[in-house]
Amino acid sequence: MSKPSQNTKRVAFLTAAIIALVFGASAALEVENRTYTGYRVSDEKKVLRVDHDSPGAAAGLRVGDVIKSLNGISATDGKQLREVQRHAPAAGAWPMEVERNGETVLLTISPTGLPTSELRLARTRSLLGLIFLGFPFWAWFKSPDSPALLLAIFGLSFGFLLMGAPSFASPAVRSVLDGVAILALYMGLTALVHFLLAFPSRRRFLDRRWATGVLYGPAVIVVLVTVGMLNLPIEITSRKVLGMSSILFCVLYFLSAIVLLIRRYVAASRADRAKHGLGIMLLGTLVAFVPLLLYPVVTSLWPGSARYYQIIASTYSPPLTLALIPIAFSVAAVRSARSQKGA
């Protein structure tokens, strides 16, 4: 590949990374001003959970209530309602109208700033985002002629998702950012699968004419459909179907990546495993998901531990161990590139 082409890619990637960092820094600073209401609702605006000692609990909100309006904003205006709940200054009291057992009930909720656990969660996400962004870029910088570019795309995508973006008053800008986030999720997963098909050696599948279409086609379709449906006044049932389809896509692509990694490791010789860092990649992936894998085992053996898991999850979710994925993959990519240069 020519040097100008590599330089162009690096400039484009660096520009995107800087934008993600600026957005992430702005979002991190904005966290201090976010409001906390202390309740969770379904797509139908039905209250699913009310946190103990939260503004929602103090207002008298109950599980099963259906929110009709908050601070003068109709519950049907989902985007505006989320923005008010997350980003409006925590001051004063907000009128809230709910439906309870077929009757209209008027409540008053006084939002506060985010609790310590929520602030820790935001900082954890920001730290993870920096790691996802930084390590894959380092790997690509060290080995520009390797498949590490795909790893860098994966890292950029999930780094942006984890760090987030600041709140914008313009609905059009918010819609664009929602679309970018959806694109980052699906393209990031697809780039990860593509990387594992190309690393450490290129699979025959990638040499076929239709390989790119098969690999990226479903992601492009899902992105277009998702963005389109999110900006159209569709029924809640349709949104649920869309949500389940999106989850299914993510699970399938993620499991594909895991299967590809395991098959690469099993098929490789001991020398190739060390040469290309396949053991590091597999170990990093397994350890990254230890908190999630241990949950059903530990809680079944010790039921009382579920409460402690919930406390940890609410404070450090997603778990910091997920940082091992970009770190392990990046170290492996650099090791592989160095061993091939020395061969």
Side-chain angles (χ1 to χ4, degrees):
M1 191 172 293
S2 64
K3 290 184 178 180
S5 177
Q6 285 290 357
N7 290 337
T8 301
K9 289 180 180 179
R10 285 185 177 180
V11 169
F13 186 90
L14 188 59
T15 301
I18 290 173
I19 293 174
L21 284 172
V22 171
F23 275 22
S26 300
L29 293 173
E30 196 178 68
V31 165
E32 302 292 338
N33 298 321
R34 287 185 181 178
T35 55
Y36 172 67
T37 53
Y39 62 86
R40 302 291 185 273
V41 297
S42 67
D43 290 336
E44 296 87 355
K45 308 307 174 187
K46 186 175 183 180
V47 177
L48 302 176
R49 190 183 81 185
V50 180
D51 297 339
H52 182 63
D53 289 335
S54 68
L61 194 63
R62 300 177 186 176
V63 173
D65 288 349
V66 179
I67 297 177
K68 294 298 182 181
S69 68
L70 176 64
N71 201 28
I73 300 173
S74 172
T76 57
D77 190 352
K79 287 187 177 181
Q80 185 65 25
L81 196 62
R82 285 195 299 271
E83 289 299 315
V84 168
Q85 289 176 292
R86 293 184 62 192
H87 303 296
W94 295 354
M96 173 184 280
E97 181 181 326
V98 303
E99 181 181 308
R100 179 181 298 166
N101 299 324
E103 298 181 354
T104 299
V105 179
L106 300 179
L107 305 174
T108 301
I109 186 170
S110 300
T112 63
L114 290 178
T116 303
S117 60
E118 293 286 341
L119 291 174
R120 287 175 182 168
L121 171 58
R123 290 163 187 159
T124 300
R125 289 172 63 94
S126 295
L127 177 59
L128 278 174
L130 287 173
I131 294 172
F132 268 84
L133 186 64
F135 274 87
F137 178 73
W138 163 73
W140 180 43
F141 185 82
K142 287 289 186 178
S143 51
D145 294 322
S146 73
L149 172 59
L150 297 167
L151 185 62
I153 294 173
F154 161 70
L156 174 62
S157 299
F158 277 80
F160 171 76
L161 287 172
L162 288 164
M163 290 188 293
S167 175
F168 288 90
S170 170
V173 174
R174 292 201 301 267
S175 296
V176 170
L177 287 177
D178 287 343
V180 171
I182 293 168
L183 178 66
L185 173 62
Y186 296 121
M187 288 304 170
L189 283 172
T190 308
L192 178 62
V193 173
H194 193 172
F195 170 75
L196 290 170
L197 285 169
F199 180 85
S201 59
R202 187 180 177 87
R203 292 254 182 173
R204 293 181 180 178
F205 167 80
L206 295 177
D207 294 325
R208 297 174 181 175
R209 293 182 179 178
W210 40 262
T212 301
V214 170
L215 193 58
Y216 288 91
V220 172
I221 293 173
V222 171
V223 168
L224 293 176
V225 172
T226 303
V227 172
M229 294 184 74
L230 287 178
N231 289 280
L232 291 175
I234 59 175
E235 297 179 356
I236 292 175
T237 303
S238 299
R239 291 188 183 275
K240 286 185 176 180
V241 173
L242 175 63
M244 292 301 297
S245 301
S246 300
I247 292 173
L248 179 62
F249 174 91
C250 293
V251 170
L252 286 175
Y253 267 61
F254 182 76
L255 289 179
S256 298
I258 297 295
V259 170
L260 283 170
L261 176 58
I262 294 174
R263 290 187 64 180
R264 287 284 193 180
Y265 180 84
V266 172
S269 64
R270 181 175 298 180
D272 282 341
R273 290 172 186 171
K275 178 180 178 181
H276 301 296
L278 295 176
I280 296 174
M281 293 171 64
L282 184 59
L283 180 62
T285 302
L286 292 176
V287 176
F289 290 97
V290 161
L292 299 177
L293 296 174
L294 284 181
Y295 178 80
V297 178
V298 175
T299 52
S300 62
L301 296 176
W302 182 29
S305 64
R307 185 169 68 91
Y308 300 104
Y309 257 98
Q310 291 173 357
I311 294 174
I312 295 173
S314 64
T315 306
Y316 300 107
S317 179
L320 281 172
T321 51
L322 288 178
L324 291 173
I325 294 177
I327 292 174
F329 279 44
S330 300
V331 169
V334 172
R335 173 181 287 193
S336 177
R338 286 176 177 174
S339 63
Q340 290 176 355
K341 285 181 180 179

